[in-house]
């Protein structure tokens, strides 16, 4: 299992493609990435952590594959 985490508070990230090698997006992974506008999540991701994309105020496009079975609280608030 590969868990993606620790990009939070980085306002210079504008687009993210999470590859098929990642299975989980960690809690607060992209929290406060205010420049983030687009996220494509790979087919092997099964969980998105609590507050993973919280306060990503510019986020307008997210692709969530069918295999995601868990989305934590406030993941996209």
């Amino acid at each position: 299992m590969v868990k993606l985490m620790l990009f939070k508070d980085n306002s210079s990230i504008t687009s993210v493609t999470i590859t098929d090698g990642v299975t989980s997006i960690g809690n607060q992974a992209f929290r406060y990435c205010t420049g983030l506008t687009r996220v494509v999540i790979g087919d092997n991701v099964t969980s998105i952590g609590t507050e993973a994309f919280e306060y990503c105020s510019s986020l307008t496009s997210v692709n969530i594959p069918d295999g995601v079975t868990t989305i934590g609280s406030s993941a996209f608030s």
Side-chain angles (χ1 to χ4, degrees):
M1 174 174 81
V2 176
K3 187 174 190 175
L4 183 65
M5 51 194 317
L6 300 179
F7 289 94
K8 72 179 188 176
D9 299 317
N10 187 334
S11 62
S12 63
I13 296 173
T14 59
S15 180
V16 173
T17 299
I18 299 169
T19 64
D20 289 339
V22 176
T23 58
S24 178
I25 300 172
N27 295 341
Q28 300 182 357
F30 294 95
R31 189 174 194 234
Y32 282 108
C33 289
T34 55
L36 187 60
T37 61
R38 180 176 178 265
V39 177
V40 176
I41 299 173
D43 289 334
N44 291 330
V45 172
T46 59
S47 67
I48 298 172
T50 299
E51 301 171 349
F53 296 95
E54 186 177 44
Y55 300 113
C56 293
S57 54
S58 299
L59 191 58
T60 58
S61 176
V62 179
N63 173 31
I64 301 174
D66 292 337
V68 173
T69 58
T70 304
I71 298 177
S73 65
S74 300
F76 294 95
S77 66

